[in-house]
Amino acid sequence: MNYKKLQLQYDKIYSYFKNTTEPFDFLEWDGKILKVWGYNTVVEKYCFRDLSFIWKNKK
């Protein structure tokens, strides 16, 4: 996967999570799995399919 596409996906994910979820330390996105980090541990994991609503709602 190219880095430009990965960055675009990350930006959309970050925007969604920043505005709709509890505070987190950072997000780790590899194009397949999203890990949400908080307090030096992974607090949530999502696969690409779980995030499909973001791709549909964000342009």
Side-chain angles (χ1 to χ4, degrees):
M1 176 170 288
N2 70 44
Y3 291 109
K4 193 173 186 177
K5 185 173 182 177
L6 220 108
Q7 184 64 51
L8 180 61
Q9 290 173 343
Y10 176 84
D11 292 343
K12 290 178 182 182
I13 293 167
Y14 183 84
S15 175
Y16 177 81
F17 274 77
K18 189 70 173 170
N19 293 311
T20 61
T21 65
E22 296 293 321
F24 53 87
D25 293 334
F26 66 94
L27 302 173
E28 183 179 343
W29 175 242
D30 67 3
K32 296 179 184 177
I33 301 293
L34 173 70
K35 295 177 185 174
V36 180
W37 288 81
Y39 306 104
N40 294 320
T41 188
V42 175
V43 293
E44 295 178 337
K45 285 185 184 179
Y46 301 92
C47 70
F48 184 88
R49 185 181 56 191
D50 295 337
L51 301 170
S52 65
F53 66 92
I54 293 175
W55 321 135
K56 292 176 185 173
N57 294 330
K58 297 273 186 176
K59 297 288 179 188

